[in-house]
Amino acid sequence: MADNQGDPRHLETLDRDLARLSSLEMATSYVSRPMIGLGVSLVFVVMAGIAAMSFFGQESNSTIVVIAACLGAYMALNIGANDVANNMGPAVGANALSMGGAIAIAVVFESAGALLAGGDVVKTIAKGIIEPESMGTASVFVWAMLAALLSAALWVNLATWVGAPVSTTHSVVGGVMGAGIAAAGFSAVNWGTMGNIAASWVISPVLGGVIAAFFLWFIKSQIIYRDDKIAAARRWVPVLIGIMGGVFAAYLALKGLKKIIKIDMPTALLIGAAIGVLIWLAMVPVIRKQSQGLENRNKSLKVLFGLPLVVSAALLSFAHGANDVANAVGPLAAIVQATASGNFTEVVSIPLWVMIIGAFGISFGLFLFGPKLIRMVGGQITKLNPMRAYCVALSAAITVIVASWLGLPVSSTHIAVGGVFGVGFFREWDAERRIRKARMAMPDRPTYAPEERRRRKLVRRSHFMTIIAAWVITVPAAALLSGLIFFLISSVMA
């Protein structure tokens, strides 16, 4: 037996066994990773229910509030898994941030935005979509909000699973509409508001894409295609960073600080303009120093856009947390108010413990399930570098400002993904333009076959069609699901 221990064949067998064991461990780790995420999510949902019980344990309707808190936590997890990818995807896709760094920044700034500047429930969620008075009783209203919350969460969960970034705002809107129709008929719906929301399906991505494409055209024409790229960058990059800083200052003043101070559009634009000029002046010497010794090629330009892109991702996350946390906890807050006081026709206010559920749920959802959508938005629609990702981030902020000025309801998801599409389709157009120009200069130059040219498209068409289809059916799908859930709840509770 001892002799066999030194036999080379025995050692080879041992190596094969160890290799099998290593492969088994890797497979077990791969399979168990999703289970860990599901386990942590379940614990968080249970903790949300326990938190609700601690506040409403003595009330007669505490069970409804506990169920609503669990559903609100579930919705917040789904928002973190799906919606936050739009802010972080471009920065990750451009390699300006690692996946871990993006998640860490998003967790901090999403939570800060939700807790410091969140809490202003949008009127379309509270009262604008349906008329609460048409519900008749507080119980029916509570059932409708439960159905809306569960249907929206299920739809966003399904969209995340198939890899489609959808609007959580539209999911909640569809859920509220469907429950309202099931509870009180079609007359309960404010169809004017729904018409505006339907218009935003087109306005949001188109406007985001056009603005992103414009800034990419500007960067290419004024910096990338210049003979002395570094000198052009020293002139224009501080200006572009100043524009970005000014737009984000106006964006945060207008959309992200409602809880602290109310600011109108002209004041927000003045604040943005002043801060933008200061940032431009401050960045002139910084970019001059940063560009010293850089080679005159496109790769060198990426260094100059890296830090602004990281800052823009953080600011977008803060503003997203301040605004979209209401999608998770708005219906929950309405249920809490209706259950506690019986009042379901007034504007809803969000208690702090409800806000904490929303903030932590978004963070947990991003940490546990966000990487899939971050990779898709950042690298699988079209290839992004820091300049292209910068255009996407800037277009998101500008589009929200323009839409607010025009009074148009828009989706941050549609804007950001529309910006990515805009950048990709502009790159296709620009590449075709340069090919035609080269062919005119050199008529004998060989051209690509049609099949090869289709293969070289810079926007992946399969993702484009999947995302557009998911956007179109989000509201009707969430509404139908919500109506079915409402009938189920009302039949059980009756």
Side-chain angles (χ1 to χ4, degrees), residues 407-426:
L408 301 172
V410 291
S411 163
S412 60
T413 301
H414 291 191
I415 294 168
V417 178
V420 175
F421 282 134
V423 163
F425 285 124
F426 174 80

Side-chain angles (χ1 to χ4, degrees), residues 387-429:
M387 286 84 81
R388 297 167 198 155
Y390 160 86
C391 296
V392 173
L394 185 54
S395 75
I398 291 178
T399 303
V400 171
I401 292 289
V402 172
S404 298
W405 176 53
L406 296 175
L408 301 172
V410 291
S411 163
S412 60
T413 301
H414 291 191
I415 294 168
V417 178
V420 175
F421 282 134
V423 163
F425 285 124
F426 174 80
R427 290 178 62 218
E428 286 189 3
W429 173 84

Side-chain angles (χ1 to χ4, degrees), residues 246-260:
V247 168
F248 272 112
Y251 178 47
L252 292 175
L254 187 70
K255 303 293 287 184
L257 302 176
K258 291 179 179 178
K259 189 175 180 181
I260 300 172

Side-chain angles (χ1 to χ4, degrees), residues 139-153:
S139 296
V140 174
F141 177 78
V142 167
W143 300 345
M145 290 297 105
L146 281 173
L149 201 51
L150 180 55
S151 66

Side-chain angles (χ1 to χ4, degrees), residues 273-462:
I275 293 178
V277 170
L278 291 175
I279 292 175
W280 165 54
L281 295 174
M283 291 305 298
V284 169
V286 173
I287 295 299
R288 186 184 298 120
K289 182 177 180 180
Q290 196 175 10
S291 63
Q292 288 177 357
L294 293 180
E295 296 181 36
N296 187 34
R297 56 178 185 158
N298 291 345
K299 189 175 181 180
S300 301
L301 301 175
K302 298 177 182 179
V303 177
L304 305 179
F305 283 91
L307 182 59
L309 188 56
V310 173
V311 173
S312 70
L315 292 174
L316 275 175
S317 290
F318 181 89
H320 179 270
N323 287 279
D324 282 27
V325 70
N327 294 331
V329 298
L332 169 58
I335 292 169
V336 170
Q337 179 171 298
T339 303
S341 64
N343 182 1
F344 60 96
T345 60
E346 300 296 327
V347 175
V348 179
S349 60
I350 300 185
L352 179 61
W353 68 271
V354 173
M355 287 298 301
I356 291 174
I357 289 176
F360 278 84
I362 289 174
S363 299
F364 277 124
L366 170 66
F367 178 74
L368 296 171
F369 308 109
K372 179 179 180 179
L373 265 293
I374 288 176
R375 291 191 190 96
M376 201 280 290
V377 173
Q380 296 178 17
I381 296 174
T382 191
K383 184 173 175 57
L384 295 176
N385 61 21
M387 286 84 81
R388 297 167 198 155
Y390 160 86
C391 296
V392 173
L394 185 54
S395 75
I398 291 178
T399 303
V400 171
I401 292 289
V402 172
S404 298
W405 176 53
L406 296 175
L408 301 172
V410 291
S411 163
S412 60
T413 301
H414 291 191
I415 294 168
V417 178
V420 175
F421 282 134
V423 163
F425 285 124
F426 174 80
R427 290 178 62 218
E428 286 189 3
W429 173 84
D430 189 52
E432 288 287 336
R433 180 184 65 84
R434 296 178 72 188
I435 289 172
R436 287 195 301 269
K437 189 175 180 181
R439 192 179 301 135
M440 290 176 64
M442 299 175 62
D444 297 333
R445 182 177 178 175
T447 60
Y448 296 119
E451 295 80 9
E452 178 67 10
R453 292 180 69 177
R454 280 194 293 270
R455 191 181 68 81
R456 289 171 173 261
K457 293 294 186 185
L458 301 178
V459 177
R460 193 169 293 178
R461 295 307 195 266
S462 60

Side-chain angles (χ1 to χ4, degrees), residues 30-191:
Y30 182 81
V31 171
S32 65
R33 212 172 298 161
M35 299 305 296
I36 292 173
L38 291 174
V40 173
S41 300
L42 181 61
V43 170
F44 173 72
V45 169
V46 171
M47 292 296 293
I50 292 173
M53 191 179 298
S54 67
F55 282 96
F56 277 82
Q58 306 302 319
E59 301 289 337
S60 58
N61 293 327
S62 61
T63 303
I64 293 292
V65 176
V66 170
I67 293 173
C70 293
L71 294 180
Y74 175 45
M75 180 61 181
L77 288 167
N78 283 292
I79 290 176
N82 192 293
D83 228 19
V84 181
N86 308 311
N87 303 326
M88 289 297 158
V92 173
N95 294 320
L97 272 174
S98 65
M99 183 65 73
I103 290 174
I105 289 174
V107 164
V108 171
F109 282 87
E110 287 278 341
S111 300
L115 294 175
L116 297 178
D120 182 27
V121 178
V122 184
K123 287 183 179 180
T124 53
I125 293 177
K127 294 181 68 177
I129 301 167
I130 58 172
E131 296 295 336
E133 295 84 357
S134 65
M135 294 293 164
T137 66
S139 296
V140 174
F141 177 78
V142 167
W143 300 345
M145 290 297 105
L146 281 173
L149 201 51
L150 180 55
S151 66
L154 289 172
W155 175 252
V156 176
N157 196 339
L158 176 63
T160 304
W161 181 65
V162 301
V166 297
S167 169
T168 55
T169 303
H170 288 177
S171 301
V172 173
V173 166
V176 172
M177 182 185 77
I181 292 173
F186 286 91
S187 60
V189 178
N190 187 332
W191 292 107

